[in-house]
Amino acid sequence: MTGGRATAAAPVAPVAPSVPPETGSGRDAILLAARRAFTQRPYAEVTIRKIAADAGVSPSLVVKHFGRKEELFNTVADFGPAAAELLDAPLDALGRHMVVTLVTYRRTFKSDPLLRVVFSLGNQDERSLLRDRFHEQVTAALTARLPGHDRALRAELLAGLLLGLGATLSLHREGAGTLASPERIADLYAPALQNLITG
Amino acid sequence: MTGGRATAAAPVAPVAPSVPPETGSGRDAILLAARRAFTQRPYAEVTIRKIAADAGVSPSLVVKHFGRKEELFNTVADFGPAAAELLDAPLDALGRHMVVTLVTYRRTFKSDPLLRVVFSLGNQDERSLLRDRFHEQVTAALTARLPGHDRALRAELLAGLLLGLGATLSLHREGAGTLASPERIADLYAPALQNLITG
């Protein structure tokens, strides 16, 4: 539906802009409003006008920065760079790399690179373009990377481990996970990923 | 905020009503509409009238079945029975028990016993009564059950494993996880839980 981008084979794009994505300028307010809109509403109901109003800017400024609705969706729904960065390690060190990368990303940018796809499950009634993107850019990329048997199932469970880590850190903002170092979290959590990777 | 219920020590309540909770009668339509409302809106903005409209019933029918808003919230937001059932196994078999119980529950009732708390993260601006409930009834109950060091952190990560499993199964409704038996999923996923349980 959105075209199959060959994420697994793509060169590693840098995930990190030099400025946190959710603070400051009108551009960032637009991105935040767009992310909310596309995760909480069916695609057909999302309008540039409503996103602009939520961001406190004019519709023309939204179009100037991001183009029309389809382009804006493509910007907001792009899991490709995050997937490339999460997968950028040798197989025997990939579990730990994924945990440290995810936790560090969350702390640096005050935002989770994958978790927004889960919010889209609140719209129970319809197919979701955001979910299609996740399947293509994350699950399929994980599957392509795994050796051995049951690769699709193991990739889905790996995606679950990444989403679950983000979910629990977001749910327990004042909890033990917030105080722990990425390395300590990886000590406890990365073996689960590594076992699914190694098969 | 909602009172600390001693879930961990409570007798095991049956999770399973004899009828799936999200099909059929007006009662079930009300529960579904209420679950959506309380996860997607701030508590203060939820009204019985809106829930009734979404469920296609009268406001007085909602009150007849579930009482006023606070009672209805307590019904919808109760993770206690699910937590009790998930924890109902000896420590050395708890990881596998939790995975099989969660997957079986999801398949039996076409619904996840925990995952709705994650949808509430879409409301980024405010404290959430649903999250408070989850902390009390799930995370604290897990913490109380664990032996050894770093119990709070391990309990948060365990909660993440449970939420991540539900999230990925919901995200990949036509995927490999949907075709796999609960036992096969447990073979792959339960060691992650068991390692965090045993410490």
Side-chain angles (χ1 to χ4, degrees):
Chain A
M1 189 158 253
T2 52
R5 293 179 49 176
T7 308
V12 177
V15 165
S18 59
V19 173
E22 294 192 3
T23 58
S25 74
R27 196 174 184 285
D28 299 330
I30 294 166
L31 279 177
L32 181 57
R35 238 175 250 149
R36 284 188 181 165
F38 285 118
T39 50
Q40 294 177 356
R41 304 267 167 218
Y43 182 84
E45 289 180 13
V46 174
T47 65
I48 293 282
R49 192 158 63 166
K50 180 69 168 52
I51 289 169
D54 286 350
V57 303
S58 68
S60 61
L61 188 70
V62 175
V63 175
K64 176 172 172 249
H65 279 310
F66 295 102
R68 304 302 311 177
K69 184 165 107 172
E70 187 181 346
E71 285 85 21
L72 180 56
F73 174 80
N74 285 337
T75 300
V76 166
D78 189 4
F79 298 106
E85 178 141 327
L86 286 165
L87 284 163
D88 185 27
L91 270 189
D92 62 0
L94 190 55
R96 188 171 187 92
H97 169 80
M98 288 202 280
V99 172
V100 171
T101 301
L102 185 77
V103 175
T104 304
Y105 182 103
R106 288 177 51 91
R107 292 184 182 183
T108 305
F109 300 111
K110 313 290 184 221
S111 138
D112 191 288
L114 303 177
L115 192 58
R116 60 187 174 279
V117 73
V118 177
F119 306 151
S120 77
L121 293 170
N123 300 324
Q124 295 174 3
D125 301 327
E126 42 129 23
R127 289 194 71 215
S128 155
L129 292 175
L130 201 68
R131 271 171 267 170
D132 293 344
R133 273 304 165 81
F134 189 91
H135 295 166
E136 295 162 15
Q137 296 187 317
V138 180
T139 317
L142 286 167
T143 304
R145 191 71 195 283
L146 295 181
H149 292 292
D150 271 338
R151 293 157 59 228
L153 178 57
R154 283 158 54 217
E156 288 178 17
L157 295 175
L158 268 173
L161 290 174
L162 294 169
L163 294 169
L165 180 56
T168 202
L169 292 173
S170 289
L171 273 177
H172 301 94
R173 286 202 189 284
E174 294 161 21
T178 302
L179 300 171
S181 69
E183 288 70 25
R184 180 63 188 139
I185 293 173
D187 290 342
L188 290 168
Y189 203 80
L193 286 85
Q194 194 60 44
N195 285 339
L196 285 170
I197 291 164
T198 313
Chain B
M1 187 159 255
T2 51
R5 293 178 49 176
T7 307
V12 177
V15 165
S18 58
V19 173
E22 294 190 4
T23 58
S25 74
R27 195 173 183 286
D28 299 330
I30 294 166
L31 279 176
L32 181 57
R35 240 175 250 150
R36 286 188 179 166
F38 285 117
T39 51
Q40 294 177 357
R41 303 265 167 219
Y43 183 84
E45 288 179 15
V46 174
T47 65
I48 293 282
R49 191 157 64 165
K50 180 70 169 51
I51 289 170
D54 285 350
V57 302
S58 68
S60 62
L61 189 69
V62 176
V63 175
K64 176 173 172 247
H65 278 312
F66 296 102
R68 304 301 311 176
K69 185 165 107 173
E70 186 180 347
E71 285 86 23
L72 180 55
F73 174 80
N74 284 337
T75 300
V76 166
D78 190 3
F79 298 106
E85 179 142 329
L86 286 165
L87 283 164
D88 185 27
L91 270 189
D92 62 1
L94 190 54
R96 188 170 187 93
H97 168 81
M98 288 202 280
V99 173
V100 171
T101 301
L102 185 77
V103 175
T104 304
Y105 182 103
R106 288 178 51 90
R107 292 184 181 183
T108 305
F109 300 111
K110 313 292 185 217
S111 141
D112 192 287
L114 303 176
L115 191 58
R116 59 188 175 278
V117 74
V118 177
F119 306 150
S120 77
L121 292 170
N123 300 324
Q124 295 172 7
D125 302 327
E126 43 129 22
R127 290 195 72 215
S128 156
L129 292 176
L130 201 67
R131 271 170 267 169
D132 292 344
R133 272 302 163 82
F134 188 91
H135 295 166
E136 294 163 15
Q137 297 186 316
V138 181
T139 317
L142 286 167
T143 304
R145 191 71 196 283
L146 295 181
H149 291 292
D150 271 338
R151 293 157 59 228
L153 178 56
R154 284 158 54 217
E156 288 179 18
L157 296 175
L158 268 173
L161 290 173
L162 294 169
L163 293 169
L165 180 56
T168 202
L169 292 173
S170 289
L171 273 176
H172 301 94
R173 287 204 188 282
E174 295 161 22
T178 302
L179 301 171
S181 68
E183 288 70 26
R184 180 63 188 139
I185 293 173
D187 290 343
L188 290 168
Y189 203 81
L193 285 84
Q194 194 60 45
N195 285 339
L196 285 170
I197 291 164
T198 313

